[in-house]
Amino acid sequence: MAELPRLVLAREHIQQGLTPKILARRCASGALVRLRQGVYVDGEAWGSLQPWDQYRLRVQAAAETFTAPTVFSRHSAASVWGIPTVGHRHPVHALTFQNDGGRSRAGVRRHYADPAGVKVFRHDGLLVTGRVRTVLDLAAFTPFAEAIVPMDHVLRPDGARNLPPLSKEQLLGEIEGNYAAAAARRITVAIEFADPQSASAGESYSRALMHVAGFETPALQHGIRDADGLIGYSDYYWDSARIVGEFDGMEKYMKPEYLRGRTPSQAVVDEKYREDRIRAAGPTVVRWVWADLTMPGRLERKLAAAGVPRRRTRSAR
């Protein structure tokens, strides 16, 4: 996780002569970026952050402007826990315990929750819903394909944050009494589909989009072999069509745990050699990247062109 830059709070700098005019000039020049009224961040540091870290900093900035204790939820709680979600232009989400329909103001969307059903945690200096409630809320109130990304993640140990995996039984056990029947059904479907073998957010999102598009469920982390032995493990494999699917996320070429001492250029060469071996062994290989997931229908067209089989309809069985 990247170390977030320190926020510049106007209320702390007034005594140092940092007037509103000076702050405005620095924002105009790009030296500062205004996150919320009275909350700024160094412009260069902001520009170096990944979008998900920028969103996390917006959550922190919101917390600095609230006078009353606030419990963050949904995408905002997920960002604090380090749980990946799809998209980065979400509003800040927080709970309200007053049953007046919730309120949205100044980029903060508030959602009513019965306090009896909410376990509040202090994590990274902020009050947030727990990991269980956070992913259940996302499953209840975001599209299925997006909900699978955080759901898969919490079923795996989070080594970077030393957090243990959650079980499907834990997740299912927290549904009753906290959600309406329709939301409970959406959550249950997401939990049943979730699979900890998806090793990244991109792999999870890809798998969910495949399911929504009607493709057969692939095997995950399938071992591919040739005469020389094990070539490696594919992200997806359709045995009936002998097709290997590979999601190319930047983690494979950037993060130390994937590089294992190699340079990024060496990782690219190794991946090309691995793919050549797989093709020589017989399977068709189809690859895609994040851009293919964010353009509606693009992944579906790629898989269909490669011959990935579709699920049969009930009437064809």
Side-chain angles (χ1 to χ4, degrees), residues 257-286:
E257 59 266 35
Y258 291 93
L259 291 175
R260 301 189 188 95
R262 301 172 298 172
T263 65
S265 59
Q266 287 173 327
V268 171
V269 171
D270 289 348
E271 186 63 22
K272 177 66 168 62
Y273 176 65
R274 172 179 173 272
E275 180 173 331
D276 287 345
R277 282 184 66 189
I278 292 174
R279 291 183 187 277
T284 299
V285 178
V286 56

Side-chain angles (χ1 to χ4, degrees), residues 151-262:
M151 193 68 74
D152 280 356
H153 177 85
V154 298
L155 294 179
R156 303 188 299 268
D158 188 337
R161 296 168 182 81
N162 197 29
L163 295 171
L166 300 177
S167 69
K168 291 192 175 187
E169 290 72 25
Q170 282 178 278
L171 297 169
L172 291 168
E174 293 292 328
I175 297 175
E176 188 175 356
N178 291 319
Y179 299 93
R185 285 194 296 271
R186 289 194 294 272
I187 295 170
T188 301
V189 168
I191 293 173
E192 290 174 347
F193 183 80
D195 192 327
Q197 289 194 85
S198 279
S200 69
E203 289 182 28
S204 295
Y205 194 37
S206 298
R207 196 176 95 261
L209 290 174
M210 293 172 198
H211 183 77
V212 171
F215 291 104
E216 282 188 8
T217 302
L220 304 182
Q221 309 304 323
H222 178 77
I224 307 292
R225 291 172 171 79
D226 61 10
D228 295 325
L230 180 67
I231 301 171
Y233 294 90
S234 64
D235 295 337
Y236 315 93
Y237 185 70
W238 290 271
D239 184 60
S240 63
R242 295 201 71 196
I243 295 175
V244 166
E246 295 281 276
F247 168 72
D248 258 346
M250 290 306 296
E251 300 96 339
K252 191 179 295 184
Y253 307 109
M254 299 297 292
K255 289 191 174 182
E257 59 266 35
Y258 291 93
L259 291 175
R260 301 189 188 95
R262 301 172 298 172

